Amino acid sequence: MFNRILDHLEEWLITFLIGAATLVIFVAVVHRFLSDVPYIQDYTVRLDLSWAQELCIYMFVWMAKFGAAYGVRNGTHVGVDVLVRKLKPEHAKWLVMFALLAGALFTGTVGTLGARFVWENGFHYAFFHTFGLPMGDLYQGPTSPDLELPTWIAYSCVPLGSYLMCFRFLQVAWHFWRTGEVPHASHHVEGIADDSNAADQVAEFEGEHA
């Protein structure tokens, strides 16, 4: 149940960020074009969209971080498996497990470092201020130049996305340990036979014309 809810939240967030970023970019481009059109520009100049580029950058960064976790869950990340294919199955299993746990360790480390950075970048002030705790000499933290958004909010995608990616690595590792399978994305293109089908067709052709 928890995994199903998390999967849907992950997909909805990525979809929303893609759609929202596309819409904001479209509006900003149209606004820039109309700002050079006589008569219309008198109205468009009143609309300030200087924040659009900064917002889109933040949305694309968030989308990339959570999209990376989605890629781990569905096996869509590009990987080099030449060595794995050369090894015997009983040996390849340990190499795959090592790679998954190494990915979990790396993303967990990045998430922890990111959480520390976000905390010191202003989240500590917001947390203490929200709950009425004594703040001492804590500072509010910087804000972004156009949106004037606290930068710790924008940078929160680093710990959140990295921890989610770490969880996905552990999830895939546990599934692989129990079943011996890892998620693979389907790259089949309609009308093009894969290697196994092509080999079968060649063998069949040769048998008919022997």
Side-chain angles (χ1 to χ4, degrees), residues 112-181:
T112 302
L113 295 175
R116 181 178 178 180
F117 176 78
V118 168
W119 176 261
E120 297 176 350
N121 201 250
F123 179 61
H124 57 349
Y125 177 90
F127 181 84
F128 280 62
H129 179 74
T130 300
F131 292 98
L133 302 175
M135 293 181 290
D137 57 350
L138 294 179
Y139 58 93
Q140 187 171 358
T143 58
S144 60
D146 295 325
L147 291 172
E148 297 184 355
L149 179 75
T151 54
W152 68 265
I153 296 179
Y155 297 154
S156 294
C157 65
V158 176
L160 294 177
S162 297
Y163 280 138
L164 179 59
M165 197 172 180
C166 178
F167 172 76
R168 294 304 186 188
F169 271 119
L170 294 175
Q171 190 179 44
V172 173
W174 175 249
H175 180 76
F176 175 73
W177 181 259
R178 297 180 60 187
T179 65
E181 298 179 355

Side-chain angles (χ1 to χ4, degrees), residues 9-135:
L9 287 176
E10 186 179 58
E11 294 166 0
W12 291 339
L13 178 61
I14 295 172
T15 302
F16 168 76
L17 291 173
I18 293 176
T22 302
L23 179 62
V24 171
I25 292 174
F26 173 76
V27 172
V29 171
V30 172
H31 175 266
R32 183 175 300 179
F33 172 77
L34 294 179
S35 296
D36 293 331
V37 178
Y39 303 108
I40 299 180
Q41 64 182 1
D42 296 337
Y43 300 95
T44 56
V45 294
R46 302 175 185 175
L47 183 62
D48 181 21
L49 293 181
S50 59
W51 48 265
Q53 181 177 358
E54 183 179 289
L55 177 61
C56 287
I57 291 174
Y58 290 149
M59 285 194 291
F60 276 118
V61 172
W62 276 72
M63 180 179 60
K65 292 298 297 182
F66 286 91
Y70 177 85
V72 174
R73 174 164 66 94
N74 292 276
T76 56
H77 280 290
V78 176
V80 180
D81 58 356
V82 176
L83 180 59
V84 176
R85 292 178 180 272
K86 294 294 183 181
L87 296 176
K88 296 180 180 180
E90 58 270 18
H91 297 156
K93 177 182 69 174
W94 295 105
L95 184 59
V96 173
M97 181 61 65
F98 171 77
L100 292 173
L101 294 179
L105 176 62
F106 175 76
T107 51
T109 303
V110 172
T112 302
L113 295 175
R116 181 178 178 180
F117 176 78
V118 168
W119 176 261
E120 297 176 350
N121 201 250
F123 179 61
H124 57 349
Y125 177 90
F127 181 84
F128 280 62
H129 179 74
T130 300
F131 292 98
L133 302 175
M135 293 181 290

Side-chain angles (χ1 to χ4, degrees), residues 1-7 167:
M1 183 65 180
F2 170 76
N3 287 334
R4 185 179 302 176
I5 296 175
L6 184 61
D7 292 346
F167 172 76

